[in-house]
Amino acid sequence: MSEIKIYSAVVCPYAHRSRLVLQEKGIDFDLIEIDLQNKPEGFTDISPYGKVPAITHGEHRVWESAVINEYLDEVFPHPPLLPSSAIGRAQARIWIDFANTRFVSAFSNLLRSPDPQKQEEAKHELYKHLEFIENEGLGKLSGEGPYWFGESISLVDFTFYPWFERWPALKNYRGFGIPPEFTRIRQWKHALKERTSVQAIAHSQEFYIERYAKFAAPVAV
């Protein structure tokens, strides 16, 4: 039995984040899949919010994906997934916060809203966030490297990537693909897709299109 247990749900992008970190670090773990529509008795003893991901590490429990990921990076420091400098770590946390408070909500609003006007507003907002990532994030921090901070993969990359793996569902149901002018984002996504840790738990476009059908109706033709 592994020292780490992660409580996950296959469709959940937040749980996907923490599973990517576990894979990247080569940490042995037990995966416990939770049916979020039929949560097992006692699950809130592990995850007080009743959400995934949550982990147990021996006697300890940690929940919230961003907190889990920093915990894993501290307790299992090799390979490190945060920059070594204080300013680098601050920049990483800024982008993780941007993902959690701005990017993810725009993605979710576009996918879930049944109102065409609100969908257009969400498209505009999401486009602005992609533009900000392209220019202020990857354009200024990655240099010639493939990842957010250049040659080294980081928690920031794994924080954003699950939504990009799910992007085919957004394109299928809302007609919003990643605009071609965002070349740095496209290169970054390709680099992430090639990593062994990402491929180990990747799912197909069809998988996400099928799983996300309940959240959105197809674009009217």
Side-chain angles (χ1 to χ4, degrees):
M1 185 170 62
S2 300
E3 194 175 2
I4 294 281
K5 294 180 181 177
I6 181 167
Y7 296 78
S8 178
V10 68
V11 77
C12 176
Y14 295 97
H16 193 175
R17 289 173 166 177
S18 295
R19 289 182 62 200
L20 286 170
V21 171
L22 290 165
Q23 292 286 344
E24 183 69 25
K25 286 182 170 286
I27 300 168
D28 189 30
F29 64 93
D30 291 331
L31 175 63
I32 301 169
E33 280 288 317
I34 299 297
D35 180 352
L36 295 174
Q37 306 307 313
N38 186 27
K39 298 169 189 174
E41 185 176 354
F43 178 55
T44 53
D45 294 336
I46 302 297
S47 177
Y49 300 163
K51 297 180 179 180
V52 295
I55 66 168
T56 58
H57 183 198
E59 300 176 348
H60 305 296
R61 56 184 182 150
V62 185
W63 58 96
E64 292 293 330
S65 62
V67 180
I68 289 170
N69 290 355
E70 283 215 39
Y71 175 81
L72 292 171
D73 199 47
E74 289 184 22
V75 176
F76 302 93
H78 301 291
L81 294 179
L82 282 174
S84 59
S85 68
I87 187 60
R89 292 192 297 276
Q91 290 170 332
R93 290 172 180 133
I94 286 169
W95 283 105
I96 291 168
D97 179 74
F98 177 84
N100 290 340
T101 61
R102 297 173 185 268
F103 175 80
V104 168
S105 62
F107 184 105
S108 180
N109 288 341
L110 176 53
L111 183 68
R112 291 172 178 266
S113 177
D115 180 78
Q117 178 60 36
K118 290 184 178 180
Q119 288 176 22
E120 287 304 311
E121 293 171 0
K123 285 181 182 180
H124 180 68
E125 182 182 12
L126 188 54
Y127 184 94
K128 287 197 303 182
H129 293 337
L130 290 174
E131 188 175 45
F132 190 69
I133 291 169
E134 176 83 4
N135 297 322
E136 190 67 28
L138 296 172
K140 292 186 177 179
L141 297 176
S142 65
E144 298 301 317
Y147 307 117
W148 217 277
F149 288 101
E151 298 295 334
S152 299
I153 196 83
S154 75
L155 293 184
V156 178
D157 299 292
F158 292 134
T159 292
F160 280 90
Y161 180 75
W163 280 266
F164 284 87
E165 187 170 295
R166 288 157 175 76
W167 211 282
L170 201 62
K171 184 175 182 180
N172 184 76
Y173 293 116
R174 295 294 179 248
F176 188 80
I178 299 172
E181 60 266 31
F182 296 141
T183 57
R184 298 300 296 264
I185 291 175
R186 288 172 169 269
Q187 292 165 3
W188 167 84
K189 181 183 178 184
H190 177 75
L192 265 290
K193 285 178 66 176
E194 295 300 307
R195 288 195 76 84
T196 301
S197 58
V198 172
Q199 292 180 352
I201 57 173
H203 290 288
S204 68
Q205 296 183 15
E206 292 75 21
F207 176 89
Y208 290 115
I209 289 170
E210 179 183 343
R211 295 306 191 284
Y212 279 76
K214 61 184 178 182
F215 299 120
V219 174
V221 178

